[in-house]
Amino acid sequence: MSVSRFFGNGWRNSCIHNWLVSKSVFEKGFEVGMTGRFFMSFSSFLWFKKTTATAVEKSRIISTIAAFCNSIIHISLRSFGVMFVWAGGVAVLFSFAVNGEFSLIFAAILVFGVTLMLLNRSFAQLCNGSLLLKKAAGFFFIDPQMLEDKEVKRYTDVFVVLGIVFGAIGFFGGIIGFVVALGGVFGGLLVLHRVEVGIFTASFFAPILPTMLIIGLAGLTIVSFGLKWIFSGKTTVKFSYIDLFVVIFAAVVAFGLVVTYNFSSSLPVAAVYLLFITFYFVVKNTINTREKLLAAVATIATSGLLVALFGIYQRITGNFGMTASWIDSGMFGTVDRIYSTLENPNVLGGYLIFIVIISFAMLYYYKDTFHKLVALGIFGIAGLCIIFTHSRGAWLGLLVAVAVFALVRERRLIWLGIIGLIFAPFVLPPEILERFLSIGDMADTSTSYRVSIWMGSVDLLRVFWPSGIGQGVENFNFIYNLFALSAAFTQHTHMLYLQIMVYWGIVGIGLFILIMTGFFKGLMQAVANADNSIKTIAAALIAAMVGYMVKGFTDNVWYNFRIFAFFWIIIALGAALASIAKEKRSV
C-alpha cells in the first residue's frame, strides 16, 4: 500500500498531471477568440431552421414515417409474420414457376412467418414479461419507459406490400439480396429517424462487417444527422478547440491528393478517411447525455465479446489460415495466431486493448450483479483472446494500459500489478513468456524486418518530410521501394507515427499530436471533476488509448479501415464525455 500511495501521489502531484487537468492556451483562446465565435455562428443557422422545421412538422409523409419508427417495438409480431409469409411465399412460388425448383430457405422463412402470426404481442410486451430481456435492457441503459406496455400497432397493409417486394427481391437476388433489402429498409428508416441508431450500429459492427457496409452505414448516419441539423431545428452542432485540429487534419488528408503520385490509388483512401473523420463530428454531437455515452460503451464491449469469441473459436477448431510472415518459426516453432474478424492478429490485438480495459472499467460502475458478471465475462474472454493473438505489441500496450488505468483511476491495482509481475514468470506458459521477452530481439526476423522498414521510411522522409507523399497503398509502394533497404518491401511502415508522416508530412503528425493532446486533456479534466461512472469511463478511454498508442510504435494500427473508423469513434466518445462532464460542472 505504501508503494501504491507513492506512485499515486507522485502522479497526482506531477507537472504532467497538473498540465493535463488545466485548461490549455488553445482551449482558452478558442472559447473567447474569433475562431470559436465563427464556428458557433456557423453551427446555428437559426434563421433558416425556423422555416424548415415548420415545413417538416407539417409534412404528412415525414410524420407518418416518424410515427411508424417510434412505434416499431409496439407493432404486433403478427404483422411481421404476415410480411415473412408473403416474402417466403412469393419467392417460393416464383422459384417453382420459373425454375421448377423448390426453395427450402424461403420455405423456412414462410414457416417462420406463420409462427410469428400466432403471436399477437409486440416486442415491448415480450420484454415486459422477460426478466432476462429487462436485464439486457439495463446493461445497455435503455430507458424502461420504452418497454412499457402500450397499444399494439399493426400496419398490416404496409407489411403485405413489403412482403411482396422482399419476396421478389429474394427471388432475383437470393437470400443475400433478401437480407440486405430487409436490413436496408428497416435499418435505413430507423437511422434516418434516429441518428443514435446509426452510431450504435456502426460502433457494434465496425470490427465485424466488411468495410463497404461500414462505409455505407456511416454515410447514411452522416446524412441523417445533416438532415436533422438543417431541417429539424432540434439538432445542434457544438465545436471545441480539438475540433479545429480535426478539421485542419481533414484538410491535410484532402491535400494529400495534390501531392500524391498515384491519384487513382489515393482518392478512394482519402474519401474513406474523410468519411470516418466526418463521422467523428456526428458521434460527438449526438452522444450528448450520460445514458447515451454508457450505452455506446456497452455496445462496443458487446461487439468486442463477439469478436473475441470468434477468435477463441478459431483457436479451438483450428479453422483459420495463417501467413508464414506472422511468426518466425525458426525462433518460436509452430504458433497459431488468431485474427477473428479483423484479418490480422496484430490488428485484432490492438482492438482488444480497448475491449479489455473498457470491460474492466464497467465492473466499477454497474451496480447490478448480473451486469457485473457480464462485464467480467467480456473481460475474461477478451483477455484470453488477446493472449492467443501472440501480438507482442498488443501485450505490451495492454500492460501499459493497465498501469495507466491504475494511476488515473484505481491505485490499488498498482500493488496487485507488482505482485502479478513478480509471479508472472512462474505461472505464464513458457511459449508466452519467451515470445514476450523477445521484444526488441534482432534475431527475430519480424523485428529485424520492421527495423529495416523503419530505416527505409526515415530515408524517404528526409526527402518528403514537408508534405508527405499522400495516402494510398499503390502510391506508397511506388515511392517507398525507391528507399527500401535489404529488399524489405512492404505495404506500410509498420509504425503509426511514421505512416502519418509518410502520408501527410510534418504537419500531419503535428496535428495528430494536437488531437491526441486535446483528447487526453479533456478526459483528464473529467476524471478530476466528474461522477463515478463518467470518471471511470474517462480513465478507461485514457488507458486504452495510451496502450493503443504504444501498440502504434510496432504497427500501423490505421492500416485496417474498420479500425480507423473505430479509432475515430473512440476519439468522438472521448470528446463527447469531456463535453458532458463540462456541462455537469457548469450546472
Side-chain angles (χ1 to χ4, degrees):
M1 292 302 295
S2 296
V3 173
S4 299
R5 282 193 294 270
F6 172 78
F7 281 106
N9 293 335
W11 163 247
R12 288 173 176 80
N13 296 325
S14 67
C15 296
I16 297 176
H17 177 269
N18 293 332
W19 175 73
L20 284 171
V21 298
S22 62
K23 281 190 175 183
S24 66
V25 175
F26 284 116
E27 188 175 1
K28 294 177 181 177
F30 184 87
E31 290 177 352
V32 300
M34 184 181 298
T35 305
R37 291 197 298 271
F38 168 77
F39 274 104
M40 293 308 297
S41 62
F42 172 77
S43 65
S44 58
F45 288 119
L46 294 178
W47 60 271
F48 179 68
K49 287 183 177 181
K50 290 180 180 178
T51 303
T52 56
T54 302
V56 168
E57 290 176 356
K58 292 181 178 180
S59 171
R60 180 172 297 180
I61 295 176
I62 293 177
S63 60
T64 301
I65 294 175
F68 176 82
C69 292
N70 281 328
S71 62
I72 196 163
I73 64 171
H74 301 290
I75 295 175
S76 173
L77 294 178
R78 180 174 293 175
S79 297
F80 288 99
V82 168
M83 179 186 71
F84 284 114
V85 166
W86 276 96
V90 167
V92 168
L93 183 62
F94 281 11
S95 179
F96 186 77
V98 176
N99 301 324
E101 298 176 351
F102 183 76
S103 175
L104 287 176
I105 191 165
F106 283 103
I109 290 174
L110 189 154
V111 172
F112 175 68
V114 172
T115 304
L116 286 182
M117 288 181 65
L118 300 177
L119 298 172
N120 192 25
R121 304 183 70 191
S122 67
F123 180 77
Q125 288 176 328
L126 291 178
C127 289
N128 259 330
S130 171
L131 179 61
L132 182 60
L133 288 176
K134 283 185 177 180
K135 291 289 186 181
F139 184 79
F140 292 100
F141 294 88
I142 295 176
D143 186 354
Q145 292 183 351
M146 292 180 60
L147 304 177
E148 287 182 354
D149 189 8
K150 295 182 180 180
E151 179 185 358
V152 176
K153 309 289 184 180
R154 285 182 172 78
Y155 296 100
T156 304
D157 295 339
V158 173
F159 281 99
V160 169
V161 174
L162 287 175
I164 295 172
V165 172
F166 289 148
I169 293 173
F171 168 71
F172 289 105
I175 187 61
I176 294 178
F178 172 79
V179 172
V180 170
L182 185 68
V185 170
F186 285 98
L189 286 176
L190 289 173
V191 171
L192 290 173
H193 178 59
R194 295 290 298 272
V195 181
E196 294 90 340
V197 174
I199 292 173
F200 293 150
T201 307
S203 300
F204 183 86
F205 285 112
I208 298 174
L209 292 180
T211 299
M212 291 307 298
L213 291 179
I214 302 303
I215 290 172
L217 182 57
L220 181 61
T221 307
I222 292 170
V223 169
S224 175
F225 181 85
L227 291 174
K228 290 183 180 299
W229 176 45
I230 295 173
F231 294 110
S232 73
K234 298 177 182 179
T235 300
T236 58
V237 177
K238 296 181 180 179
F239 285 93
S240 61
Y241 75 104
I242 188 177
D243 298 336
L244 177 62
F245 302 140
V246 175
V247 169
I248 300 174
F249 184 78
V252 171
V253 173
F255 180 74
L257 294 173
V258 177
V259 300
T260 181
Y261 168 79
N262 192 325
F263 184 83
S264 61
S265 168
S266 295
L267 180 60
V269 178
V272 173
Y273 282 171
L274 292 173
L275 178 76
F276 290 141
I277 292 173
T278 304
F279 192 62
Y280 156 86
F281 289 99
V282 174
V283 176
K284 174 183 176 290
N285 286 282
T286 303
I287 306 300
N288 50 17
T289 66
R290 173 183 173 275
E291 289 71 23
K292 289 180 183 179
L293 176 69
L294 296 178
V297 169
T299 301
I300 289 172
T302 307
S303 174
L305 171 65
L306 297 182
V307 172
L309 282 172
F310 185 66
I312 293 173
Y313 164 79
Q314 287 180 330
R315 175 60 182 258
I316 294 173
T317 62
N319 187 22
F320 66 102
M322 228 180 80
T323 302
S325 60
W326 287 351
I327 195 74
D328 187 337
S329 57
M331 187 171 184
F332 300 106
T334 303
V335 175
D336 292 331
R337 301 189 62 188
I338 61 171
Y339 46 84
S340 188
T341 60
L342 292 172
E343 302 167 358
N344 185 288
N346 292 321
V347 174
L348 175 61
Y351 165 76
L352 288 174
I353 292 173
F354 286 100
I355 305 304
V356 172
I357 298 298
I358 285 174
S359 57
F360 182 75
M362 293 164 73
L363 294 170
Y364 280 82
Y365 62 81
Y366 275 122
K367 297 179 180 179
D368 186 273
T369 303
F370 175 79
H371 296 157
K372 285 183 178 291
L373 290 174
V374 172
L376 183 62
I378 297 174
F379 170 72
I381 292 171
L384 183 62
C385 188
I386 200 172
I387 292 174
F388 290 157
T389 64
H390 285 269
S391 172
R392 292 168 292 185
W395 293 348
L396 182 61
L398 182 60
L399 285 177
V400 173
V402 171
V404 171
F405 186 81
L407 278 177
V408 175
R409 180 64 183 91
E410 184 54 83
R411 68 183 186 185
R412 287 176 295 181
L413 292 175
I414 296 174
W415 63 268
L416 287 175
I418 294 172
I419 294 173
L421 289 175
I422 292 172
F423 284 96
F426 304 102
V427 297
L428 285 176
E431 62 271 16
I432 300 293
L433 188 61
E434 179 185 7
R435 183 157 173 80
F436 183 79
L437 294 177
S438 68
I439 293 176
D441 188 346
M442 291 295 291
D444 178 12
T445 56
S446 177
T447 302
S448 59
Y449 174 67
R450 277 174 165 78
V451 171
S452 296
I453 293 171
W454 297 341
M455 292 173 67
S457 300
V458 170
D459 286 343
L460 182 153
L461 286 171
R462 289 192 177 101
V463 178
F464 292 99
W465 67 267
S467 63
I469 65 173
Q471 55 277 329
V473 173
E474 294 179 12
N475 179 58
F476 174 82
N477 284 342
F478 177 80
I479 297 178
Y480 168 79
N481 288 346
L482 302 176
F483 301 88
L485 303 181
S486 305
F489 301 114
T490 181
Q491 302 291 311
H492 55 96
T493 64
H494 285 276
M495 183 190 291
L496 173 64
Y497 314 104
L498 274 179
Q499 193 71 39
I500 292 174
M501 291 187 69
V502 167
Y503 274 176
W504 303 299
I506 193 69
V507 177
I509 192 64
L511 286 167
F512 175 77
I513 292 171
L514 289 173
I515 291 169
M516 297 312 301
T517 301
F519 173 81
F520 288 124
K521 282 183 69 67
L523 291 177
M524 281 300 300
Q525 291 168 8
V527 170
N529 299 287
D531 60 29
N532 180 60
S533 58
I534 297 296
K535 179 185 299 185
T536 303
I537 290 300
L541 293 180
I542 291 170
M545 186 58 76
V546 171
Y548 189 71
M549 292 295 100
V550 170
K551 179 73 172 68
F553 282 102
T554 63
D555 267 302
N556 172 23
V557 290
W558 280 4
Y559 184 70
N560 187 299
F561 282 136
R562 291 178 290 157
I563 296 302
F564 182 83
F566 181 77
F567 170 85
W568 284 104
I569 290 173
I570 295 294
I571 295 293
L573 291 179
L577 186 151
S579 178
I580 293 168
K582 186 177 180 180
E583 288 179 1
K584 285 185 176 294
R585 290 197 301 269
S586 62
V587 173

